[in-house]
Amino acid sequence: MTRQPLVAVEPECWRRDDLVGAVHAGGGIVVPAAEAEGLIWADPQSPGLLGPVLRAAPQLRWVQLPYAGIEPYLEFLDGERLWTCGKGVYAEPVAEMALGMLLAGMRGLTSYLPARSWLGPEGRNLRGAAITVLGGGGITVELLKLLAPFECDVTVLRRHPEPLPGITGVRVVGPAALGEALAGSDAVVVALALTAETRGIVDAEALATMPEHCWLVNVARGEHVVTDDLLEALGAGTIAGAALDVTDPEPLPDGHPLWDLPNCIITPHVGNTPEMGMALLNRRVTENVRRFGAGEPLLGPVHVALGY
């Protein structure tokens, strides 16, 4: 039987009318955290403020975090509450960014955009290309939909090599096949959750395995790529180039050597902007509030033991 759950939107200084409206749309009643069963955490910039809220409201049974990446909140995760995050919420805009970066890199836009004279031809087709995607989550699923018209030969590497929901014609392999998957790639897209196992997965060895014409696209987290190893590979021409929406460190400091590489595209973590993402997060909040009230499984569950 569906009921009206009591849900807090905190902290007060970040409470947004649209998030409050999303709770109401899901059938919830917005109350202070001390009276709530569920909590929508609305401040992505100050994760440390969550601790005091949790300590002051031990009765909370469910916490919704704002982003797919939960690294800033790991110290607060416990097995006593339901934890959900933005996993899958922002997949569509981030996948669109990955597609744009693939096209920009493979079609030679890094050469043509700064040019002030007529250049010779360069570039490779995305159509029919061999693409390896590291990660099997929502971003990958959406990217594969966008790649379908290009008839790419796609390999997806994920922790458990099981078929992706609703996706056919794609090769899915496990971590042991990383080297083989990279070796045959025209481009590699990083769309992984950041864990101890995936941090630094693109290192000197991985880069050396990729063909010289290969482009690396990272729309996940900067720490998946060992920056010093990437700098060396780009400078030496070990790979053709890299398109990075995320970096390590982030923000990338002024004067960092990556800025000066002609075969490196850098965007400031804008695969999903607040303007793009807020409406998507509101939809997730509304649906999860509805599910919480109905006693149904929530979307975007956090695997506390795995950290994502």
Side-chain angles (χ1 to χ4, degrees):
M1 180 177 177
T2 301
R3 58 186 181 80
Q4 288 186 292
L6 304 179
V7 180
V9 179
E10 296 287 347
E12 286 280 353
C13 60
W14 264 75
R15 180 178 291 179
R16 300 178 59 128
D17 290 342
D18 43 9
L19 278 176
V20 171
V23 172
H24 290 156
I29 301 172
V30 176
V31 298
E35 303 170 18
E37 309 164 75
L39 170 67
I40 311 301
W41 187 248
D43 183 357
Q45 306 300 327
S46 306
L49 296 178
L50 177 59
V53 174
L54 296 176
R55 288 192 291 273
Q59 83 289 344
L60 287 168
R61 294 168 39 219
W62 163 47
V63 179
Q64 171 74 54
L65 299 174
Y67 289 156
I70 62 166
E71 300 84 27
Y73 303 98
L74 291 178
E75 64 179 296
F76 306 120
L77 298 184
D78 57 42
E80 300 173 6
R81 301 178 176 93
L82 293 170
W83 292 84
T84 56
C85 64
K87 192 185 300 181
V89 169
Y90 313 111
E92 294 174 2
V94 176
E96 183 179 291
M97 185 69 158
L99 176 63
M101 287 182 148
L102 280 170
L103 287 166
M106 294 181 69
R107 295 309 300 263
L109 295 193
T110 51
S111 296
Y112 298 133
L113 285 173
R116 294 299 178 265
S117 62
W118 200 263
L119 301 181
E122 68 172 84
R124 302 175 68 90
N125 280 338
L126 178 58
R127 181 174 293 277
I131 309 296
T132 293
V133 185
L134 307 184
I139 294 172
T140 296
V141 170
E142 294 303 322
L143 177 59
L144 294 180
K145 294 176 185 177
L146 296 178
L147 286 175
F150 294 91
E151 300 177 334
C152 296
D153 178 12
V154 180
T155 299
V156 173
L157 182 139
R158 60 189 310 204
R159 176 192 289 268
H160 301 293
E162 302 164 350
L164 295 166
I167 301 294
T168 59
V170 172
R171 184 183 309 106
V172 182
V173 299
L178 174 63
E180 179 183 354
L182 297 179
S185 300
D186 297 314
V188 174
V189 179
V190 183
L192 287 159
L194 183 63
T195 67
E197 291 76 21
T198 65
R199 182 175 280 106
I201 190 171
V202 181
D203 57 9
E205 181 180 358
L207 291 162
T209 304
M210 301 176 195
E212 290 185 0
H213 67 266
C214 186
W215 267 81
L216 173 69
V217 172
N218 188 3
V219 292
R221 289 292 182 268
E223 291 173 82
H224 287 120
V225 178
V226 180
T227 300
D228 288 345
D229 293 351
L230 178 61
L231 276 167
E232 184 173 347
L234 291 173
T238 302
I239 62 172
L244 312 173
D245 189 45
V246 290
T247 60
D248 182 24
E250 187 175 308
L252 193 67
D254 293 351
H256 192 282
L258 277 176
W259 289 116
D260 296 324
L261 292 174
N263 56 346
C264 188
I265 301 169
I266 301 169
T267 53
H269 206 149
V270 289
N272 171 65
T273 67
E275 291 74 18
M276 297 175 195
M278 201 64 213
L280 299 173
L281 179 60
N282 291 341
R283 286 195 330 215
R284 171 62 60 85
V285 168
T286 293
E287 179 60 15
N288 268 349
V289 169
R290 185 197 68 76
R291 287 171 176 247
F292 188 63
E296 299 174 5
L298 303 184
L299 300 176
V302 173
H303 302 288
V304 174
L306 300 177
Y308 68 89

PDB file of all heavy atoms in Angstrom, residues 190-206:
ATOM      1  N   VAL A 190      36.538   5.593 -21.451  1.00  0.00           N
ATOM      2  CA  VAL A 190      36.515   5.235 -20.033  1.00  0.00           C
ATOM      3  C   VAL A 190      35.211   5.739 -19.434  1.00  0.00           C
ATOM      4  O   VAL A 190      34.945   6.939 -19.426  1.00  0.00           O
ATOM      5  CB  VAL A 190      37.708   5.841 -19.282  1.00  0.00           C
ATOM      6  CG1 VAL A 190      37.702   5.385 -17.817  1.00  0.00           C
ATOM      7  CG2 VAL A 190      39.026   5.442 -19.951  1.00  0.00           C
ATOM      8  N   ALA A 191      34.382   4.805 -18.959  1.00  0.00           N
ATOM      9  CA  ALA A 191      33.078   5.144 -18.373  1.00  0.00           C
ATOM     10  C   ALA A 191      32.850   4.300 -17.122  1.00  0.00           C
ATOM     11  O   ALA A 191      31.766   3.769 -16.902  1.00  0.00           O
ATOM     12  CB  ALA A 191      31.964   4.926 -19.385  1.00  0.00           C
ATOM     13  N   LEU A 192      33.878   4.188 -16.309  1.00  0.00           N
ATOM     14  CA  LEU A 192      33.875   3.323 -15.130  1.00  0.00           C
ATOM     15  C   LEU A 192      33.501   4.080 -13.861  1.00  0.00           C
ATOM     16  O   LEU A 192      33.716   5.282 -13.754  1.00  0.00           O
ATOM     17  CB  LEU A 192      35.281   2.749 -14.913  1.00  0.00           C
ATOM     18  CG  LEU A 192      35.800   1.678 -15.857  1.00  0.00           C
ATOM     19  CD1 LEU A 192      37.323   1.638 -15.790  1.00  0.00           C
ATOM     20  CD2 LEU A 192      35.221   0.326 -15.485  1.00  0.00           C
ATOM     21  N   ALA A 193      33.001   3.342 -12.883  1.00  0.00           N
ATOM     22  CA  ALA A 193      32.959   3.857 -11.516  1.00  0.00           C
ATOM     23  C   ALA A 193      34.381   3.834 -10.969  1.00  0.00           C
ATOM     24  O   ALA A 193      35.186   2.960 -11.318  1.00  0.00           O
ATOM     25  CB  ALA A 193      32.051   2.992 -10.656  1.00  0.00           C
ATOM     26  N   LEU A 194      34.716   4.810 -10.130  1.00  0.00           N
ATOM     27  CA  LEU A 194      36.051   4.865  -9.545  1.00  0.00           C
ATOM     28  C   LEU A 194      36.090   4.025  -8.276  1.00  0.00           C
ATOM     29  O   LEU A 194      35.403   4.311  -7.296  1.00  0.00           O
ATOM     30  CB  LEU A 194      36.438   6.311  -9.230  1.00  0.00           C
ATOM     31  CG  LEU A 194      37.851   6.498  -8.680  1.00  0.00           C
ATOM     32  CD1 LEU A 194      38.894   6.076  -9.708  1.00  0.00           C
ATOM     33  CD2 LEU A 194      38.075   7.945  -8.260  1.00  0.00           C
ATOM     34  N   THR A 195      36.877   2.971  -8.304  1.00  0.00           N
ATOM     35  CA  THR A 195      37.087   2.093  -7.146  1.00  0.00           C
ATOM     36  C   THR A 195      38.578   1.827  -7.013  1.00  0.00           C
ATOM     37  O   THR A 195      39.384   2.245  -7.859  1.00  0.00           O
ATOM     38  CB  THR A 195      36.351   0.750  -7.325  1.00  0.00           C
ATOM     39  OG1 THR A 195      36.972   0.017  -8.400  1.00  0.00           O
ATOM     40  CG2 THR A 195      34.871   0.964  -7.640  1.00  0.00           C
ATOM     41  N   ALA A 196      38.942   1.106  -5.978  1.00  0.00           N
ATOM     42  CA  ALA A 196      40.358   0.754  -5.800  1.00  0.00           C
ATOM     43  C   ALA A 196      40.867  -0.058  -6.983  1.00  0.00           C
ATOM     44  O   ALA A 196      42.034   0.061  -7.381  1.00  0.00           O
ATOM     45  CB  ALA A 196      40.534  -0.029  -4.494  1.00  0.00           C
ATOM     46  N   GLU A 197      40.001  -0.881  -7.572  1.00  0.00           N
ATOM     47  CA  GLU A 197      40.407  -1.725  -8.688  1.00  0.00           C
ATOM     48  C   GLU A 197      40.548  -0.944  -9.986  1.00  0.00           C
ATOM     49  O   GLU A 197      41.350  -1.302 -10.855  1.00  0.00           O
ATOM     50  CB  GLU A 197      39.403  -2.866  -8.894  1.00  0.00           C
ATOM     51  CG  GLU A 197      39.385  -3.916  -7.803  1.00  0.00           C
ATOM     52  CD  GLU A 197      38.667  -3.442  -6.543  1.00  0.00           C
ATOM     53  OE1 GLU A 197      37.863  -2.484  -6.644  1.00  0.00           O
ATOM     54  OE2 GLU A 197      38.933  -4.002  -5.460  1.00  0.00           O
ATOM     55  N   THR A 198      39.771   0.132 -10.162  1.00  0.00           N
ATOM     56  CA  THR A 198      39.788   0.856 -11.433  1.00  0.00           C
ATOM     57  C   THR A 198      40.677   2.104 -11.408  1.00  0.00           C
ATOM     58  O   THR A 198      40.968   2.665 -12.455  1.00  0.00           O
ATOM     59  CB  THR A 198      38.370   1.272 -11.851  1.00  0.00           C
ATOM     60  OG1 THR A 198      37.839   2.208 -10.902  1.00  0.00           O
ATOM     61  CG2 THR A 198      37.462   0.058 -11.940  1.00  0.00           C
ATOM     62  N   ARG A 199      41.092   2.526 -10.232  1.00  0.00           N
ATOM     63  CA  ARG A 199      41.979   3.695 -10.149  1.00  0.00           C
ATOM     64  C   ARG A 199      43.302   3.367 -10.856  1.00  0.00           C
ATOM     65  O   ARG A 199      43.949   2.378 -10.558  1.00  0.00           O
ATOM     66  CB  ARG A 199      42.220   4.082  -8.696  1.00  0.00           C
ATOM     67  CG  ARG A 199      43.094   5.310  -8.526  1.00  0.00           C
ATOM     68  CD  ARG A 199      43.202   5.722  -7.074  1.00  0.00           C
ATOM     69  NE  ARG A 199      42.024   6.477  -6.630  1.00  0.00           N
ATOM     70  CZ  ARG A 199      41.081   5.993  -5.839  1.00  0.00           C
ATOM     71  NH1 ARG A 199      41.156   4.750  -5.402  1.00  0.00           N
ATOM     72  NH2 ARG A 199      40.055   6.743  -5.490  1.00  0.00           N
ATOM     73  N   GLY A 200      43.676   4.197 -11.817  1.00  0.00           N
ATOM     74  CA  GLY A 200      44.925   3.981 -12.545  1.00  0.00           C
ATOM     75  C   GLY A 200      44.869   2.862 -13.559  1.00  0.00           C
ATOM     76  O   GLY A 200      45.916   2.363 -13.993  1.00  0.00           O
ATOM     77  N   ILE A 201      43.680   2.461 -13.988  1.00  0.00           N
ATOM     78  CA  ILE A 201      43.559   1.341 -14.926  1.00  0.00           C
ATOM     79  C   ILE A 201      44.209   1.674 -16.272  1.00  0.00           C
ATOM     80  O   ILE A 201      44.728   0.793 -16.961  1.00  0.00           O
ATOM     81  CB  ILE A 201      42.087   0.936 -15.111  1.00  0.00           C
ATOM     82  CG1 ILE A 201      41.977  -0.375 -15.897  1.00  0.00           C
ATOM     83  CG2 ILE A 201      41.274   2.030 -15.758  1.00  0.00           C
ATOM     84  CD1 ILE A 201      40.564  -0.953 -15.940  1.00  0.00           C
ATOM     85  N   VAL A 202      44.197   2.964 -16.644  1.00  0.00           N
ATOM     86  CA  VAL A 202      44.879   3.375 -17.874  1.00  0.00           C
ATOM     87  C   VAL A 202      46.247   3.917 -17.484  1.00  0.00           C
ATOM     88  O   VAL A 202      46.427   5.094 -17.176  1.00  0.00           O
ATOM     89  CB  VAL A 202      44.060   4.430 -18.644  1.00  0.00           C
ATOM     90  CG1 VAL A 202      44.779   4.826 -19.939  1.00  0.00           C
ATOM     91  CG2 VAL A 202      42.667   3.907 -18.962  1.00  0.00           C
ATOM     92  N   ASP A 203      47.217   3.015 -17.475  1.00  0.00           N
ATOM     93  CA  ASP A 203      48.584   3.359 -17.092  1.00  0.00           C
ATOM     94  C   ASP A 203      49.509   3.174 -18.288  1.00  0.00           C
ATOM     95  O   ASP A 203      49.054   2.989 -19.428  1.00  0.00           O
ATOM     96  CB  ASP A 203      49.029   2.508 -15.901  1.00  0.00           C
ATOM     97  CG  ASP A 203      48.934   1.001 -16.174  1.00  0.00           C
ATOM     98  OD1 ASP A 203      48.684   0.609 -17.344  1.00  0.00           O
ATOM     99  OD2 ASP A 203      49.123   0.221 -15.227  1.00  0.00           O
ATOM    100  N   ALA A 204      50.812   3.225 -18.049  1.00  0.00           N
ATOM    101  CA  ALA A 204      51.779   3.122 -19.142  1.00  0.00           C
ATOM    102  C   ALA A 204      51.619   1.816 -19.908  1.00  0.00           C
ATOM    103  O   ALA A 204      51.694   1.789 -21.150  1.00  0.00           O
ATOM    104  CB  ALA A 204      53.193   3.247 -18.583  1.00  0.00           C
ATOM    105  N   GLU A 205      51.376   0.731 -19.182  1.00  0.00           N
ATOM    106  CA  GLU A 205      51.209  -0.562 -19.847  1.00  0.00           C
ATOM    107  C   GLU A 205      49.972  -0.564 -20.741  1.00  0.00           C
ATOM    108  O   GLU A 205      50.011  -1.039 -21.882  1.00  0.00           O
ATOM    109  CB  GLU A 205      51.112  -1.670 -18.804  1.00  0.00           C
ATOM    110  CG  GLU A 205      50.954  -3.063 -19.405  1.00  0.00           C
ATOM    111  CD  GLU A 205      50.857  -4.153 -18.352  1.00  0.00           C
ATOM    112  OE1 GLU A 205      50.958  -3.840 -17.150  1.00  0.00           O
ATOM    113  OE2 GLU A 205      50.673  -5.327 -18.738  1.00  0.00           O
ATOM    114  N   ALA A 206      48.865  -0.034 -20.222  1.00  0.00           N
ATOM    115  CA  ALA A 206      47.629  -0.002 -21.018  1.00  0.00           C
ATOM    116  C   ALA A 206      47.803   0.885 -22.246  1.00  0.00           C
ATOM    117  O   ALA A 206      47.371   0.538 -23.356  1.00  0.00           O
ATOM    118  CB  ALA A 206      46.478   0.504 -20.155  1.00  0.00           C
TER     119      ALA A 206
END
